[in-house]
Amino acid sequence: MTVETDSNVNHSNLEMEPTQSLEDGAIQQVPGKKKKSCCTGLKVFLVALSFSYLCKTLSGTVMKSSITQIERRFDIPSSIAGLIDGSFEMGNLLVLAFVSYFGAKFHRPKIIALGCCIMSAGSILTAMPHFFMGYYKYETASHAVLSVNSTSSLSPCSVDQNVTGISETLSELSDSDCVKAAASYMWIYVLLGNLLRGVGESPITPLGISYLDDFATEEDAPLYIACLHTIAMIGPIIGYLLGSLCASLYVDIGFVDLGSITITPKDSRWVGAWWLGFIVAGITNLIAAIPFCFLPKSLKKQEEENNDKISSDLSKIKGHQSRHHKSENHQPVKWSVTSEGFFSSLKRVLSNRIYVTFLCCSLLQFSGFVGFLTYKPKYMEQQYGQSTSKSNFLTGVTALPAVSVGIFLGGLIMKKYKMGMIGATKFGFGMSLMAFLITVSYFFVGCENHVVAGLTVSYDGKPVARHETTLFSVCNSDCKCATNQWDPVCGDNGITYMSACLAGCKASTGHGKNKVYHNCSCMEITDSQSGNTSVILGQCPKSDDCSRKFIYYTVLQVISAFFYALGGTPLYMVMFRCVHPELKSLAVGLYTLIMRALAGIPAPIYFGALIDRTCLKWGSGSCGHRGACRIYDSGAYRYTYFGLVASFRLPSYFLAFLFYTMVKKQYQARDPKSTDNGGQESVPMNKEANSKSNEYLSSSSDVERESRI
């Protein structure tokens, strides 16, 4: 590493006598001035840390974009899928405090490298069940019929067939498949892999930011932090695009004949190559670990050329502070004193009514946000009939760029207008409230249920109540159909039938996705204009009106995401300005702990459990156990999903109003000029320490929020 030698003091002498040159004010000139290298050790560390940020946010987004695929592949309900998603927070919380405190005492770059390796191992472990479970066998009646006699085409409606023989054969197939029943618990390895990834992610933010904070100058630190923010925000965008690509590929691509696959990416049984995204994430995390292995434990702090009196005075102050800290370091630390001081500080933070009010408000907001984000792709699939691939793609290219712009503009507006506590509170909650009012319109841009005979409509096409549905009618009463199978077919009348057998079809032609069933008796009882009694594979598409509503929903969510992000930065600044300067680190740590423990972990679980209650038809596993949900009640899903989000966010604005009242009461009585300077007149502190603390705290929060996106 090359450093600038034209400095106020000689670095070799500084280590022996840190204040010698500063006391007499002399400036030593060193002959043979060297140019400052553009590639110092700190900048190499910045590049490595930025890439590790990109990798960890990429990994988190791959998990979010794969939740639906994992749910279908392992035949688990949404509540279990939510538990898998929350396991990352569990692993992170297990070691976060330990790593943050003790990690700074060791070789920080190497600990970060170890964390990247653990994240890589976690991502690879998440993908491993794919290679041990065998090929994916989706639920279909075609495989069972063909397995009885591969040389002949049997009628789906087995009125004239040897039903007993077919039943015995299906029973034998089920028994043989049940030998591999242990594969249904493979999702536990996915959970453990995600938990391990959370453990590996824990040292990156606290140790990486503290390393930059220790060895960067006050002037360079904001630029470095901005670089981290920018690169970290690219990760989720790439992650959703990668998730979109993987979801469009069949799960066993390269191992099976795709021509024999009868389902499409829009089918509720489709499982994409979910494992591929985790393999890519594991490789990138492993690459991210390499540069940290060659970085030193510590660097020489960069100094800028400035020979004026002010710079000299500041250097003198720094020298005295450094000498004072060195003398303190030789004193033994008593754990009893440390623990007593910790509990005293914790009591002071929790007795701050303004901070506690903000904490409760944020907890409600964050609970709704986590649940909404986790099941957003699933909602787009079920409500608007979109594929998982398209849902992930649209999230990556629409909502996330809007969030990035909102975060940037929020900080810019706050800086330009020099908002104080009152102004930042009013602006932040005002933007959040505007975003919430926009999300209320989601209730009115939903689509109607899929038209499925026996579930949402009768066989003659008339809507029926959920408790009045029946899978059999006069048209298929002679057919010996399985009621637990989901192999939908679509007729020209716009009605979806759960299987060709339940549609009363007597013959079939074609192969794979091109198979067509003919002479379907249930088609004859509807007023079909074409008079065609044939059906094709797959569910019938949603109406054109639903396609228009999907466009409205996409536009509304982009606008809502922008306003929500616009107020995010000012509100976070408000949070650590409402506590005493020496308590800021503890306040932010407590904030992160509560958000993750009480929102990040449980929210996906109870959101998933309530969504499960809106299921109309559950899939059937190979051993007869209940699989993943195949179709939901669109109206019930919409009102449950957004109703739960609203039930968290609406009460939070009553707390927000209380918080604003308390802030206004405390700060309005003070000098307006002081209040306009950020409301920090009650928290005097060293300018440099204040700046560095702000940079560290804001960076930690932003990156954590981005990793969840």
Side-chain angles (χ1 to χ4, degrees):
M1 180 187 70
T2 306
V3 298
E4 186 178 8
T5 57
D6 187 11
S7 169
N8 290 346
V9 293
N10 185 287
H11 288 291
S12 62
N13 294 333
L14 180 61
E15 297 178 357
M16 299 297 296
E17 300 175 344
T19 60
Q20 179 179 357
S21 298
L22 295 174
E23 297 294 341
D24 56 16
I27 301 176
Q28 299 180 5
Q29 299 291 338
V30 180
K33 177 180 177 180
K34 297 181 180 179
K35 292 184 178 180
K36 187 176 180 179
S37 172
C38 63
C39 186
T40 62
L42 187 64
K43 291 183 178 179
V44 172
F45 179 83
L46 174 64
V47 172
L49 186 64
S50 298
F51 184 67
S52 68
Y53 266 50
L54 185 149
C55 293
K56 79 184 187 72
T57 54
L58 169 67
S59 302
T61 310
V62 168
M63 172 56 73
K64 290 289 184 186
S65 64
S66 303
I67 283 295
T68 305
Q69 311 290 308
I70 292 173
E71 182 179 330
R72 294 172 181 172
R73 182 64 181 94
F74 297 95
D75 277 329
I76 56 177
S78 298
S79 55
I80 298 297
L83 177 64
I84 293 174
D85 183 68
S87 63
F88 171 84
E89 307 290 354
M90 300 177 193
N92 200 276
L93 289 177
L94 283 175
V95 297
L96 181 60
F98 179 83
V99 169
S100 299
Y101 183 78
F102 292 101
K105 303 179 182 298
F106 298 97
H107 198 300
R108 283 176 288 184
K110 289 188 177 180
I111 294 178
I112 294 175
L114 178 62
C116 291
C117 291
I118 294 176
M119 281 201 302
S120 175
S123 296
I124 299 297
L125 178 61
T126 302
M128 281 299 101
H130 167 75
F131 300 99
F132 299 107
M133 290 181 65
Y135 298 150
Y136 172 53
K137 295 181 180 180
Y138 53 88
E139 186 181 359
T140 178
S142 301
H143 292 168
V145 172
L146 290 177
S147 64
V148 178
N149 188 352
S150 60
T151 62
S152 63
S153 177
L154 296 180
S155 166
C157 179
S158 55
V159 61
D160 296 325
Q161 305 297 332
N162 187 352
V163 179
T164 303
I166 295 176
S167 301
E168 291 176 354
T169 305
L170 294 179
S171 177
E172 292 174 2
L173 289 175
S174 298
D175 291 340
S176 63
D177 288 341
C178 283
V179 176
K180 300 180 180 179
S184 60
Y185 294 98
M186 282 288 184
W187 61 266
I188 296 177
Y189 291 97
V190 180
L191 184 146
L192 292 177
N194 202 36
L195 186 144
L196 190 62
R197 190 173 60 84
V199 172
E201 190 266 352
S202 58
I204 295 179
T205 295
L207 300 188
I209 296 297
S210 64
Y211 194 88
L212 282 177
D213 187 63
D214 287 345
F215 304 114
T217 62
E218 183 180 351
E219 292 77 11
D220 289 341
L223 177 62
Y224 294 162
I225 301 300
C227 291
L228 286 178
H229 285 179
T230 303
I231 300 300
M233 203 59 213
I234 296 175
I237 298 177
I238 298 177
Y240 272 112
L241 295 180
L242 177 62
S244 174
L245 174 63
C246 294
S248 65
L249 305 174
Y250 188 65
V251 60
D252 294 319
I253 185 172
F255 299 96
V256 297
D257 179 17
L258 298 181
S260 63
I261 305 301
T262 60
I263 56 177
T264 64
K266 285 191 175 183
D267 197 294
S268 60
R269 296 164 294 171
W270 176 271
V271 176
W274 62 274
W275 52 273
L276 185 58
F278 291 103
I279 296 294
V280 173
I283 294 174
T284 55
N285 279 309
L286 188 61
I287 295 174
I290 297 176
F292 293 106
C293 298
F294 302 96
L295 288 167
K297 181 178 180 181
S298 61
L299 299 169
K300 292 183 179 179
K301 191 174 181 67
Q302 297 177 341
E303 297 292 341
E304 297 293 330
E305 285 189 21
N306 193 348
N307 297 327
D308 56 18
K309 187 177 182 298
I310 296 178
S311 177
S312 179
D313 292 340
L314 288 175
S315 299
K316 183 185 297 185
I317 293 174
K318 291 180 182 178
H320 286 302
Q321 290 178 343
S322 176
R323 182 173 57 188
H324 178 64
H325 290 320
K326 286 182 179 180
S327 64
E328 288 182 344
N329 289 337
H330 294 292
Q331 299 178 1
V333 178
K334 295 182 179 180
W335 286 102
S336 59
V337 176
T338 303
S339 60
E340 182 179 351
F342 170 77
F343 288 111
S344 175
S345 298
L346 182 62
K347 182 179 179 181
R348 289 177 61 190
V349 170
L350 295 179
S351 62
N352 186 331
R353 292 183 299 169
I354 295 180
Y355 173 79
V356 172
T357 303
F358 182 87
L359 194 65
C360 295
C361 178
S362 299
L363 180 61
L364 292 175
Q365 291 261 351
F366 197 67
S367 296
F369 174 75
V370 170
F372 170 77
L373 189 64
T374 301
Y375 296 102
K376 178 182 173 183
K378 186 185 186 74
Y379 174 78
M380 295 169 70
E381 294 173 45
Q382 292 293 331
Q383 190 71 206
Y384 302 103
Q386 304 298 322
S387 66
T388 305
S389 176
K390 187 174 182 180
S391 300
N392 289 331
F393 178 80
L394 288 176
T395 302
V397 300
T398 57
L400 290 182
V403 170
S404 303
V405 174
I407 292 174
F408 174 77
L409 289 181
L412 188 64
I413 291 173
M414 189 175 184
K415 179 180 179 180
K416 181 177 181 180
Y417 293 99
K418 300 179 180 178
M419 293 182 181
M421 281 289 293
I422 298 176
T425 302
K426 187 187 301 183
F427 178 79
F429 282 121
M431 293 299 100
S432 179
L433 180 60
M434 185 175 297
F436 172 69
L437 294 177
I438 294 174
T439 60
V440 172
S441 62
Y442 293 168
F443 287 101
F444 309 103
V445 291
C447 296
E448 298 295 330
N449 275 325
H450 280 281
V451 182
V452 182
L455 286 181
T456 61
V457 297
S458 62
Y459 278 84
D460 57 0
K462 297 178 181 179
V464 294
R466 185 173 179 178
H467 63 278
E468 297 177 353
T469 59
T470 175
L471 298 179
F472 290 100
S473 178
V474 177
C475 62
N476 58 20
S477 58
D478 292 335
C479 301
K480 307 301 181 181
C481 305
T483 58
N484 61 343
Q485 286 185 343
W486 177 260
D487 193 11
V489 292
C490 176
D492 285 346
N493 55 6
I495 297 178
T496 298
Y497 300 91
M498 286 179 52
S499 67
C501 181
L502 288 173
C505 301
K506 305 298 190 299
S508 64
T509 58
H511 177 70
K513 297 183 182 68
N514 299 319
K515 179 174 286 188
V516 179
Y517 294 95
H518 306 284
N519 301 328
C520 303
S521 57
C522 291
M523 290 283 293
E524 299 173 357
I525 67 174
T526 60
D527 298 329
S528 179
Q529 298 178 356
S530 63
N532 186 7
T533 60
S534 299
V535 295
I536 59 175
L537 290 174
Q539 291 178 239
C540 295
K542 293 276 190 173
S543 63
D544 293 337
D545 180 62
C546 184
S547 299
R548 286 192 297 271
K549 288 183 177 179
F550 177 65
I551 296 175
Y552 300 152
Y553 168 78
T554 303
V555 174
L556 287 172
Q557 73 157 348
V558 170
I559 299 174
S560 174
F562 171 76
F563 281 114
Y564 193 80
L566 192 63
T569 301
L571 284 180
Y572 191 77
M573 297 291 289
V574 165
M575 188 270 291
F576 64 81
R577 284 182 178 179
C578 68
V579 296
H580 196 274
E582 65 184 22
L583 301 176
K584 287 182 180 180
S585 296
L586 179 60
V588 174
L590 184 63
Y591 177 89
T592 304
L593 175 66
I594 291 179
M595 292 304 109
R596 292 191 166 188
L598 300 183
I601 296 175
I605 299 176
Y606 55 71
F607 263 81
L610 290 177
I611 289 173
D612 285 338
R613 296 175 65 89
T614 67
C615 182
L616 290 176
K617 178 66 176 70
W618 290 95
S620 178
S622 58
C623 299
H625 66 277
R626 193 178 75 173
C629 184
R630 300 307 183 194
I631 185 171
Y632 292 86
D633 185 330
S634 297
Y637 191 149
R638 180 170 69 254
Y639 290 115
T640 299
Y641 180 52
F642 291 124
L644 193 55
V645 174
S647 67
F648 281 112
R649 295 189 63 179
L650 184 60
S652 73
Y653 293 108
F654 292 102
L655 291 177
F657 179 76
L658 177 62
F659 176 81
Y660 173 72
T661 303
M662 296 169 68
V663 169
K664 188 175 182 181
K665 182 179 179 180
Q666 178 170 340
Y667 287 91
Q668 196 173 40
R670 301 180 180 181
D671 182 28
K673 293 183 179 180
S674 298
T675 304
D676 289 340
N677 278 333
Q680 294 186 359
E681 65 282 352
S682 64
V683 285
M685 62 186 296
N686 177 270
K687 180 178 179 181
E688 179 186 356
N690 186 24
S691 174
K692 293 288 184 70
S693 178
N694 291 353
E695 293 157 8
Y696 173 81
L697 298 173
S698 61
S699 173
S700 299
S701 173
D702 288 345
V703 172
E704 287 165 1
R705 181 171 63 251
E706 290 155 7
S707 68
R708 293 186 179 92
I709 294 178

